[in-house]
Amino acid sequence: MFEMIGNPDKQADMEKYMRQQFQFLGLQTPERKAQSKALIQQSKKLPIRSVHSLIADLYDRVEREYQYVAIDVAYANVTRFTYSDLKELTQYIQRKSWWDTVDSWRKLYGKFVVLHSEQKGAVFNLFYKHPNMWMRRISIILQLHEKETLDTHLLTLAIDYDIDTDEFFIQKAIGWALRNYSKYNPFWVSMFVENRDLSKLAKKEASKYLKEINWEENFFDDKL
């Protein structure tokens, strides 16, 4: 059975950082990845149902690092997963939920929709309007690292649904998604911010890079 060796010297600090919500072994990312490297590699050779079983076993463990390894296993097998696999894995987003695991799961779904762009809408609908706040957070940041392929219609739907939600992690996600997209399409983000009644937090986050843009210069460059 797979077991990791913890570091008691770091355990208390890690638990404090996560507001005492979870028990930790005390393994920071490099140490965790070193100890789980062989397991991750082995998982790529397992039948998909066995991968699901491995993820389930890891997620049921008490120490938080095992949830991280479970997500690492899932991400390592993303190219082998189907939409049905991704749908099944959403159960874990709703268990032991906090920003650390939720945002790590987002990477899996974000990678999948890049690999399978024709299924982006179906994946988005797994999260859109979901009663679970953490699921909806993923609908907002699903396309976080996309550029030209980002679907602004889906992003708009996700933001508009939660625009008045008084929840820090939702409003932070709205600002984060817009801020990141402003690196590639500042004009669209600027118009979006101007035409929406965003919360102070979301607007502040969304506008971070917009302040650095010389709009007059960019406008005339586009006309040349």
Side-chain angles (χ1 to χ4, degrees):
M1 185 167 120
F2 173 70
E3 296 284 350
M4 292 188 290
I5 301 172
N7 184 341
D9 293 338
K10 297 177 181 177
Q11 186 177 0
D13 286 342
M14 294 179 75
E15 291 176 356
K16 181 179 179 181
Y17 180 70
M18 296 302 291
R19 301 182 182 180
Q20 308 298 336
Q21 295 185 92
F22 311 104
Q23 293 182 37
F24 279 82
L25 291 168
L27 294 175
Q28 294 181 326
T29 301
E31 298 169 301
R32 184 191 82 240
K33 286 189 176 294
Q35 292 193 34
S36 63
K37 183 177 180 180
L39 179 73
I40 302 296
Q41 292 301 316
Q42 290 169 10
S43 75
K44 298 177 183 180
K45 301 176 183 178
L46 294 174
I48 289 297
R49 291 316 312 166
S50 296
V51 174
H52 281 282
S53 296
L54 176 58
I55 291 169
D57 171 67
L58 292 167
Y59 229 80
D60 282 339
R61 308 232 193 145
V62 173
E63 293 85 3
R64 192 62 165 171
E65 288 92 341
Y66 287 113
Q67 280 92 70
Y68 299 158
V69 174
I71 300 170
D72 290 342
V73 167
Y75 191 83
N77 288 278
V78 65
T79 58
R80 299 206 289 150
F81 284 152
T82 65
Y83 169 79
S84 295
D85 294 312
L86 271 287
K87 185 176 181 179
E88 182 176 342
L89 290 171
T90 60
Q91 64 179 296
Y92 300 110
I93 299 168
Q94 302 168 72
R95 292 171 51 193
K96 305 179 182 180
S97 305
W98 197 239
W99 63 264
D100 55 337
T101 51
V102 172
D103 291 358
S104 293
W105 279 117
R106 183 220 63 83
K107 294 177 183 178
L108 171 75
Y109 289 87
K111 180 68 172 180
F112 185 86
V113 298
V114 168
L115 294 171
H116 306 279
S117 59
E118 75 285 355
Q119 297 187 64
K120 181 183 285 188
V123 173
F124 173 81
N125 284 330
L126 293 173
F127 307 102
Y128 179 51
K129 294 186 178 181
H130 198 282
N132 183 288
M133 177 270 291
W134 294 109
M135 293 283 282
R136 298 201 311 278
R137 177 175 166 94
I138 292 185
S139 73
I140 297 167
I141 59 174
L142 177 65
Q143 305 175 84
L144 191 64
H145 296 299
E146 292 191 57
K147 301 177 185 179
E148 296 85 1
T149 58
L150 187 143
D151 188 324
T152 55
H153 174 64
L154 296 183
L155 179 59
T156 299
L157 286 175
I159 292 175
D160 281 349
Y161 185 79
D162 268 309
I163 199 165
D164 295 320
T165 299
D166 186 20
E167 166 56 58
F168 172 82
F169 288 106
I170 289 291
Q171 293 302 323
K172 190 77 171 180
I174 291 172
W176 189 15
L178 291 170
R179 183 187 72 209
N180 228 51
Y181 190 47
S182 74
K183 298 175 186 177
Y184 318 114
N185 196 340
F187 182 77
W188 187 91
V189 174
S190 180
M191 293 300 99
F192 187 93
V193 170
E194 185 176 329
N195 289 289
R196 292 295 192 286
D197 187 18
L198 296 174
S199 70
K200 289 183 179 179
L201 173 59
K203 188 172 184 178
K204 179 181 178 182
E205 290 288 324
S207 304
K208 181 178 180 181
Y209 299 132
L210 298 178
K211 298 174 184 177
E212 302 170 2
I213 297 169
N214 184 326
W215 287 105
E216 182 177 356
E217 179 181 308
N218 276 268
F219 177 80
F220 285 112
D221 281 351
D222 288 344
K223 302 303 180 184
L224 293 178

